[in-house]
Amino acid sequence: VDLERRWQSDALAVKPDLLSVLIGVNDVLCATPVEVFERVYATLLDQARAANPKLTLVLGEPFRGRADDGTRRLQEAVARLSRRCGAIHVPYQRVFDDAATRAPIETWIWDDIHPTYRGHQLMADAWESAVRAGY
């Protein structure tokens, strides 16, 4: 919900043709109700679509090194919003869960929230793959 205050200046004012959004971990940590998260996020996405009907939206799901129920609920909300908006969905949790079968999760996410350099590379690869498939 913190993004709502900055949406005009950080997103709409730059008039993007492609808008990639990754939010939610702070909402989990602050115990934002999923209904509030989804309602506010939907409003922001609707504003972006109204500003540019041809806008390509890319929604990354929030992730954790060890996802809890709160994270999973927000991931489900992002998946619903992706379908609703015709957005490209990037399943980051699956990417990190798969990576954790190859090396300890700390190889990819050092503190359960922030990716390492290797984790950022996983994210970049997943984003590019999803976007290429979505075009």
Side-chain angles (χ1 to χ4, degrees):
V1 295
D2 290 337
L3 182 58
E4 186 176 24
R5 288 191 304 274
R6 303 184 324 268
W7 190 244
Q8 179 61 40
S9 60
D10 288 3
L12 302 183
V14 297
K15 301 180 192 250
D17 294 322
L18 184 146
L19 179 60
S20 184
V21 183
L22 172 58
I23 58 172
V25 170
N26 290 341
D27 294 286
V28 172
L29 298 175
C30 296
T32 301
V34 69
E35 299 80 16
V36 172
F37 172 85
E38 193 166 356
R39 185 183 74 245
V40 171
Y41 203 171
T43 299
L44 299 179
L45 296 173
D46 288 346
Q47 290 172 3
R49 277 272 188 238
N52 179 357
K54 295 181 181 181
L55 179 67
T56 299
L57 288 167
V58 182
L59 305 185
E61 70 180 15
F63 60 89
R64 301 278 300 269
R66 292 169 184 84
D68 57 10
D69 288 339
T71 305
R72 286 187 194 89
R73 284 191 295 276
L74 292 193
Q75 290 167 349
E76 292 165 1
V78 171
R80 282 190 300 273
L81 289 167
S82 294
R83 288 188 300 273
R84 175 186 172 271
C85 295
I88 297 167
H89 179 256
V90 186
Y92 288 127
Q93 189 67 55
R94 182 173 8 127
V95 169
F96 284 109
D97 290 348
D98 290 348
T101 67
R102 299 189 305 274
I105 193 63
E106 294 78 15
T107 304
W108 316 105
I109 302 177
W110 66 273
D111 66 349
D112 196 47
I113 298 170
H114 298 97
T116 63
Y117 291 121
R118 289 181 179 122
H120 280 287
Q121 187 63 59
L122 290 176
M123 293 177 70
D125 293 344
W127 188 94
E128 182 179 19
S129 178
V131 170
R132 285 182 187 275
Y135 269 119

